[in-house]
Amino acid sequence: MTTLDTAEHLRAAREALEAWPLTVAEVERVSVSENIAFRVTDAQARSYVLRLHRPEYHNHAELVSEQTWTAALLASGVDVPVVVKAADGRGYVPVDVADERRYAGLLEWVDGDTMAERIGSGRETDVPGCFSRLGGIMAALHQQASRWTPPPDFTRHAFDADGLMGQEPFWGRFWESPHLDGGQQGRLDDLRHRVHAMLSDYRDTDAFSLIHADLHAANVVVNGDRLHVIDFDDAGFGWHAYDFAVALYHHQDDADYPAIRDALIEGYRQVRPVADDTVAMIPLFLLIRSLASIGWTAARPELSRNADRTQWLMKLVDRDAASVVLP
């Protein structure tokens, strides 16, 4: 990021904050990825996170629906972000960032380290225990989603067969990535059709609801016994097995992966039943995660080493495809 980018981001953040009834003492940019996030401190030393949401990912109605679901999760006892409404009651306010129109939303700040940071630093030695707790969180989230009836104006994308492997999948046409050669593109297109056929035949409605869709250890903030789930940016309607696969994805090469996997499933079952058929679908959704990640990478040319990352993902695709019986 250049100095100009930093100044423009801070200007936009301060402009957006004028919509909230806060006496702002400090605004600090803490991350720039799809969204631009800031830590905001008010005159009473209370902290908040302000997010300027990326354009062309969710429209206003979809963003409001995200807040509607997290409010329902919060009411059910799941520790998720608490929305701070603007002075006029809006959950989001529009703001221009350079030549982009974005929506700004404010949440209460939660102190702590992510579960991934604790595991990576070695401060957390009981890694399977962490995943058992993560499984319990996932189960509580799926329990609420499976029992909840969204309001009529609720709108969110779907990770069904078309949303994952259709002609216009949610995370992009991965088989057309410019970082693949012609042979790789053709192979992924063929693989896409075969996976689409499997998903079209997978009709377990008891294992399909709203899902987080990015519920890995880096999106759980740990503060003592408190586990706080963040980043519902990708949340939509999908199969529960996809949430399992996302949680496990970056640990497949760990020596204790079988223990991590079993702990995640057992922690889930302590809160909510999960059918063996759903567990059996996890390898397929690990493959889907790799394929979707190729599309996600291709859509973000601002990231460094995209070609290298894509070739690494292709190795995961080859490995994951070997563990799945495809039609």
Side-chain angles (χ1 to χ4, degrees):
M1 283 293 136
T2 66
T3 303
L4 180 61
D5 290 327
T6 302
E8 172 60 14
H9 292 172
L10 287 171
R11 181 209 60 76
R14 290 188 178 276
E15 178 183 324
L17 286 166
E18 293 174 3
W20 277 268
L22 301 176
T23 302
V24 176
E26 185 178 2
V27 181
E28 175 191 7
R29 192 180 66 180
V30 292
S31 70
V32 180
S33 55
E34 290 97 348
N35 303 323
I36 309 169
F38 305 83
R39 180 168 182 167
V40 179
T41 307
D42 69 9
Q44 289 75 45
R46 294 172 299 201
S47 292
Y48 309 87
V49 56
L50 177 76
R51 294 192 299 169
L52 306 183
H53 289 262
R54 55 178 150 161
E56 300 179 2
Y57 189 58
H58 293 304
N59 60 34
H60 182 260
E62 291 164 340
L63 288 171
V64 170
S65 295
E66 176 185 329
Q67 290 188 345
T68 300
W69 186 36
T70 55
L73 284 168
L74 196 66
S76 76
V78 183
D79 196 336
V80 297
V82 176
V83 174
V84 180
K85 293 293 183 71
D88 60 5
R90 287 180 294 172
Y92 293 95
V93 298
V95 63
D96 290 324
V97 184
D99 59 350
E100 294 178 338
R101 171 57 59 94
R102 292 184 177 235
Y103 282 100
L106 194 69
L107 307 169
E108 292 184 3
W109 182 274
V110 174
D111 285 320
D113 301 317
T114 68
M115 187 179 285
E117 289 169 339
R118 293 177 62 85
I119 292 171
S121 67
R123 283 175 291 157
E124 180 56 70
T125 56
D126 182 12
V127 178
C130 282
F131 278 84
S132 178
R133 298 173 74 192
L134 180 56
I137 294 170
M138 188 184 298
L141 188 149
H142 291 168
Q143 187 87 295
Q144 185 279 336
S146 296
R147 295 174 173 176
W148 183 56
T149 301
D153 58 350
F154 190 94
T155 179
R156 206 68 184 175
H157 52 270
F159 298 114
D160 53 11
D162 288 340
L164 291 170
M165 296 286 122
Q167 283 292 328
E168 299 294 338
F170 184 71
W171 281 302
R173 295 164 65 92
F174 55 86
W175 63 97
E176 294 179 350
S177 168
H179 307 299
L180 301 172
D181 63 35
Q184 290 173 320
Q185 289 179 339
R187 183 151 54 92
L188 291 195
D189 193 23
D190 175 69
L191 188 58
R192 174 180 71 87
H193 283 91
R194 297 164 72 187
V195 172
H196 187 279
M198 291 186 71
L199 292 177
S200 296
D201 291 337
Y202 182 37
R203 304 185 183 279
D204 188 349
T205 55
D206 291 335
F208 190 98
S209 70
L210 279 167
I211 60 173
H212 185 283
D214 206 22
L215 190 52
H216 48 73
N219 279 333
V220 179
V221 176
V222 182
N223 188 333
D225 292 333
R226 182 181 183 185
L227 298 177
H228 176 75
V229 181
I230 62 173
D231 196 0
F232 281 75
D233 219 27
D234 293 340
F237 294 93
W239 283 286
H240 297 172
Y242 186 79
D243 266 351
F244 280 107
V246 170
L248 296 170
Y249 188 75
H250 290 294
H251 299 273
Q252 296 175 81
D253 293 329
D254 292 2
D256 55 350
Y257 173 72
I260 289 172
R261 179 197 59 218
D262 293 348
L264 180 73
I265 295 166
E266 180 56 31
Y268 189 102
R269 283 177 166 154
Q270 289 177 12
V271 176
R272 183 177 192 272
V274 58
D276 289 342
D277 288 348
T278 298
V279 174
M281 295 295 286
I282 292 174
L284 174 64
F285 283 95
L286 288 169
L287 170 61
I288 290 169
R289 182 68 168 182
S290 292
L291 293 170
S293 295
I294 292 174
W296 183 91
T297 299
R300 282 154 184 82
E302 72 277 8
L303 300 178
S304 62
R305 301 179 64 83
N306 276 3
D308 291 343
R309 175 177 172 80
T310 299
Q311 293 308 314
W312 172 74
L313 287 166
M314 279 299 300
K315 292 179 181 178
L316 298 185
V317 167
D318 291 338
R319 180 193 64 192
D320 296 339
S323 67
V324 178
V325 179
L326 294 165

